[in-house]
Amino acid sequence: MVSETLLGHAAGAIVHRIEGELGAERAAAAYDLLLRERVAADGGSLPVLDVALLGIGEDGHTASLFPHNPALAVRGAACVAVHEAPKPPPTACR
């Protein structure tokens, strides 16, 4: 859907897709590595993206980052697996 509705209007866009089909842990590790290899960091160790397209939950939440979730404490990772989210899906890569 992103390809059909957005990328046709963004000539030259470079897309880095999270491979969610790998499962949360493997997808997060693979995406972190991909970004570090292909995207420049800006003054720090984390890659900097121009645009990040996030899903939006039915209640307006994004990225499955909810209060008190252990994923919020992770530092130094460009992507982290999220477990036990209170909204579907309970496990994801963000």
Side-chain angles (χ1 to χ4, degrees):
M1 186 165 68
V2 170
S3 292
E4 294 173 8
T5 59
L6 296 176
L7 296 179
H9 304 285
I14 300 170
V15 177
H16 306 289
R17 183 182 77 82
I18 297 173
E19 297 177 294
E21 64 273 15
L22 298 176
E25 297 295 333
R26 287 183 56 212
Y31 196 63
D32 186 86
L33 180 62
L34 177 143
L35 291 178
R36 289 176 191 280
E37 289 177 344
R38 298 185 187 175
V39 180
D42 184 20
S45 62
L46 292 177
V48 176
L49 300 173
D50 293 324
V51 175
L53 179 63
L54 303 174
I56 299 173
E58 59 192 32
D59 63 353
H61 78 272
T62 61
S64 291
L65 297 175
F66 295 95
H68 312 296
N69 189 294
L72 293 173
V74 173
R75 299 291 181 260
C79 187
V80 63
V82 174
H83 299 283
E84 300 179 20
K87 300 283 183 174
T91 298
C93 176
R94 308 288 185 235

